[in-house]
Amino acid sequence: QYIGELSQLIKPETFYRYHDRWTNVLQTACALVAFSIYLAESRLATPADVEEYLGFKVNTENADITVFVITLEEYLHGIISLFNEISRLAVNSVIVNDVKRPQHISAFASELYSGFQLLNLKNDSLRRRFDSIKYDIKRIEEVQYDLRVRNLI
């Protein structure tokens, strides 16, 4: 609702001028969409999914701004936030005796991490957030290791 109101106020020629004011909110919104789709369908949210949920196009082609859009960087920040959430989900699922879910999470996270490694990220906030993914992967692997040591998988 508020993003819709904001989109009516922002003119395309001033989009990047004020972009820093709302980018964190859109990153969080993309992360919520990604996590909800992962929970519901065990898959990665595509830019089309984000567009469907939030009502704004993800600028995947890096085209000129003519309407309010979600930038590709905001989408990728949301996907990186998904790593944080699924690593917590791996730990919490073991707590409720769901020992199979961490295996699925590990496979998903490893595949997604491999995809991120193919990107040529500049030395900016996206790169720093990408570097934090390895700690989430390590956390998921530790959960799996503990399950194997205890002969639960």
Side-chain angles (χ1 to χ4, degrees), residues 11-119:
K11 294 180 175 70
E13 57 272 6
T14 61
F15 180 82
Y16 283 112
R17 182 181 204 181
Y18 302 108
H19 182 253
D20 289 342
R21 307 264 189 226
W22 64 78
T23 189
N24 289 336
V25 173
L26 289 178
Q27 290 171 11
T28 303
C30 289
L32 290 172
V33 170
F35 191 50
S36 65
I37 287 177
Y38 177 78
L39 289 175
E41 303 175 29
S42 296
R43 67 175 179 86
L44 178 63
T46 64
D49 293 326
V50 172
E51 182 178 342
E52 181 182 331
Y53 272 73
L54 300 179
F56 298 100
K57 183 175 175 12
V58 177
N59 190 9
T60 55
E61 289 92 30
N62 214 11
D64 290 338
I65 304 298
T66 57
V67 294
F68 189 89
V69 295
I70 298 169
T71 64
L72 186 58
E73 288 81 13
E74 290 164 341
Y75 169 75
L76 291 174
H77 274 285
I79 299 304
I80 290 173
S81 295
L82 177 64
F83 279 98
N84 303 97
E85 295 304 320
I86 63 175
S87 70
R88 289 182 21 198
L89 179 63
V91 172
N92 291 332
S93 62
V94 172
I95 292 171
V96 295
N97 284 333
D98 185 0
V99 295
K100 296 213 182 289
R101 180 169 266 182
Q103 292 175 296
H104 298 294
I105 290 172
S106 178
F108 176 78
S110 296
E111 186 175 341
L112 188 55
Y113 182 64
S114 296
F116 263 97
Q117 287 178 317
L118 298 175
L119 297 176

Side-chain angles (χ1 to χ4, degrees), residues 132-144:
S132 72
I133 292 174
K134 62 184 163 203
Y135 300 109
D136 294 319
I137 297 286
K138 181 180 176 193
R139 191 172 173 189
I140 295 167
E141 289 171 350
E142 288 172 352
V143 168
Q144 281 202 293

